[in-house]
Amino acid sequence: MNKCVFIISLSFIFMSCSYNKIQGDVDFNVVPREDTLYLSNFFSSGKIIPLTGVLLSFVSEVEITPKSIVILGHTEHGDVNFFTKEGSYICSAVRIGRGPSEMLNISDIVYNKYTGTLDVLGNYGQNIYKLDIETGDLISKIDIEKNHIYSARQICPVDSIRYLMYKDTPYVASDDYYCYLFNIAENSVEGSFFKMNEKFAGTVLISQINNVYEYAGNVYFFRMFDNCLYVLENGEMMPNIRYSENEYSIPAKLLNTGYDDLMDFIRICEDSDYIWGHGSMFRYREYLFSSYTYHNKYYTNVMNLDDSTSKSYRFMKDDIVWGFSSENDVNPFYMIYSDEERTVFTVEPYELKFLLEKSENISQQFSYNRDIVNSLPIDANPMLVVLW
């Protein structure tokens, strides 16, 4: 599941910005608007989960398993950290290092519902460790012996023996692809999708999140500069949601030749009238959330896949958990996980305290949750907020 709703960093995807159902013939443009997103328009309830028992920093991923909450982030005990559903620390696994059960790096974690394990992609895409979801014990280790898949950054289980794997940087001199369907039982590649422009990918190193994800039994994929969200069907990547170019789309000429390096590209985008950094897609029920930048301001876009509508928002009103409104670009909610039942956000207490101090005329319904935040030290662990 890769971060949405209200904050974006250099973890982004550049996409054309209109939504169109495959079955229809109407395009829906993503247009920047100075509107306010009310959480209650999409969710009916929520809860706070403080993370306790260990000092935790640099949280980059969250996975929900039937037995635990697993967080990819740094602690003194390891980088894959297991918590109870109430947020109490259980254990850590997989340190960064060269020793037994360690990895040189950790690229991705995902709950594998087909094997009941927590799967960890690391060693620069060369290994998958399968962990027990309660104890964090190493159950098995998968060696990926295909050179062209090295440097894979994300994985999504397709079934008990296959993964859809995404990479954003080239490893071999030619014939590198963004997406691979890999069979671990046969150590074979069953499909390679979307040929990589090695020169571009090697120059503009843009880290993305949640490019491959599962929802309701289907596996989806999106990538930079494409006009489509794809779904895996019978071993092939098929268009699922199409995007069409509009006045806010980045021209192909700029994408191909109009910059010297990454920072030059970002500077040009910041000074332009184009939407850029559009990505961080998360699906919850009929809604597809994403975020982007326009004129150096952050926006949230929500596509309703049932009625084929799309709307962008500049601000957010929390009318479920704490009762505050975002100011400018100060918004502590950071979507990090979603599935059919819930969405999960990380919230930094120090950012939240800043907004709560400025809030006035607060309803009594928010006092309990505010008391929880106010009791925390300014450098407390990130909290999880679950909305449904």
Side-chain angles (χ1 to χ4, degrees), residues 69-109:
I69 298 172
V70 187
I71 297 179
L72 181 58
H74 182 68
T75 72
E76 62 178 329
H77 308 294
D79 291 86
V80 179
N81 306 285
F82 294 77
F83 294 80
T84 67
K85 294 299 183 70
E86 293 72 38
S88 297
Y89 175 69
I90 301 172
C91 64
S92 296
V94 194
R95 289 177 178 271
I96 300 298
R98 297 180 179 274
S101 301
E102 295 181 340
M103 285 183 158
L104 295 175
N105 83 315
I106 299 174
S107 303
D108 197 13
I109 62 172

Side-chain angles (χ1 to χ4, degrees), residues 37-303:
L37 183 152
Y38 285 76
L39 289 182
S40 60
N41 288 340
F42 304 96
F43 311 100
S44 60
S45 189
K47 67 176 181 179
I48 305 170
I49 303 179
L51 301 172
T52 62
V54 68
L55 292 178
L56 177 68
S57 60
F58 304 109
V59 173
S60 59
E61 288 193 53
V62 170
E63 283 291 310
I64 307 296
T65 83
K67 300 291 186 179
S68 57
I69 298 172
V70 187
I71 297 179
L72 181 58
H74 182 68
T75 72
E76 62 178 329
H77 308 294
D79 291 86
V80 179
N81 306 285
F82 294 77
F83 294 80
T84 67
K85 294 299 183 70
E86 293 72 38
S88 297
Y89 175 69
I90 301 172
C91 64
S92 296
V94 194
R95 289 177 178 271
I96 300 298
R98 297 180 179 274
S101 301
E102 295 181 340
M103 285 183 158
L104 295 175
N105 83 315
I106 299 174
S107 303
D108 197 13
I109 62 172
V110 60
Y111 171 63
N112 190 329
K113 66 181 181 180
Y114 302 103
T115 59
T117 57
L118 192 283
D119 294 353
V120 181
L121 176 68
N123 287 332
Y124 300 98
Q126 299 181 52
N127 295 111
I128 299 172
Y129 288 2
K130 302 181 79 66
L131 308 181
D132 184 279
I133 60 174
E134 291 185 90
T135 66
D137 292 339
L138 178 63
I139 297 174
S140 62
K141 175 182 174 182
I142 299 168
D143 295 323
I144 300 173
E145 300 176 358
K146 299 294 181 181
N147 287 348
H148 46 289
I149 306 183
Y150 284 178
S151 76
R153 291 193 61 254
Q154 298 173 31
I155 56 173
C156 183
V158 176
D159 50 38
S160 61
I161 61 171
R162 294 186 300 166
Y163 294 91
L164 192 63
M165 309 183 71
Y166 164 76
K167 60 185 296 184
D168 56 4
T169 56
Y171 183 82
V172 296
S174 61
D175 295 329
D176 225 338
Y177 292 80
Y178 285 103
C179 200
Y180 293 89
L181 183 60
F182 183 61
N183 186 316
I184 63 172
E186 300 179 0
N187 193 36
S188 63
V189 174
E190 296 185 359
S192 304
F193 312 102
F194 315 113
K195 185 172 174 58
M196 185 179 293
N197 182 327
E198 287 85 2
K199 180 179 180 181
F200 172 82
T203 302
V204 183
L205 300 177
I206 300 172
S207 178
Q208 304 170 66
I209 60 171
N210 212 39
N211 294 81
V212 289
Y213 66 91
E214 183 268 342
Y215 187 89
N218 294 315
V219 175
Y220 297 89
F221 171 71
F222 63 89
R223 70 183 182 95
M224 291 183 294
F225 314 117
D226 208 336
N227 65 347
C228 192
L229 174 72
Y230 296 88
V231 62
L232 183 67
E233 293 183 355
N234 300 318
E236 297 293 334
M237 301 303 301
M238 305 299 295
N240 180 254
I241 296 173
R242 294 188 185 278
Y243 298 80
S244 61
E245 292 186 3
N246 62 19
E247 61 193 285
Y248 300 103
S249 303
I250 298 179
K253 182 178 180 180
L254 171 59
L255 296 177
N256 295 327
T257 61
Y259 54 90
D260 296 325
D261 53 28
L262 173 60
M263 297 312 298
D264 186 43
F265 182 79
I266 292 174
R267 180 189 57 78
I268 293 172
C269 290
E270 289 177 339
D271 295 337
S272 75
D273 292 323
Y274 307 126
I275 285 174
W276 65 288
H278 191 184
S280 300
M281 292 189 177
F282 288 85
R283 173 79 180 273
Y284 170 69
R285 297 185 177 175
E286 70 269 32
Y287 304 113
L288 185 62
F289 294 90
S290 60
S291 56
Y292 62 81
T293 300
Y294 177 70
H295 284 177
N296 293 323
K297 299 177 182 179
Y298 301 116
Y299 292 81
T300 297
N301 193 71
V302 184
M303 297 178 186

Side-chain angles (χ1 to χ4, degrees), residues 350-368:
Y350 71 90
E351 293 180 333
L352 182 60
K353 285 173 177 283
F354 172 80
L355 289 173
L356 296 186
E357 289 174 357
K358 293 191 172 187
S359 300
E360 299 178 355
N361 302 321
I362 299 305
S363 169
Q364 188 66 26
Q365 75 181 90
F366 303 117
S367 60
Y368 177 77

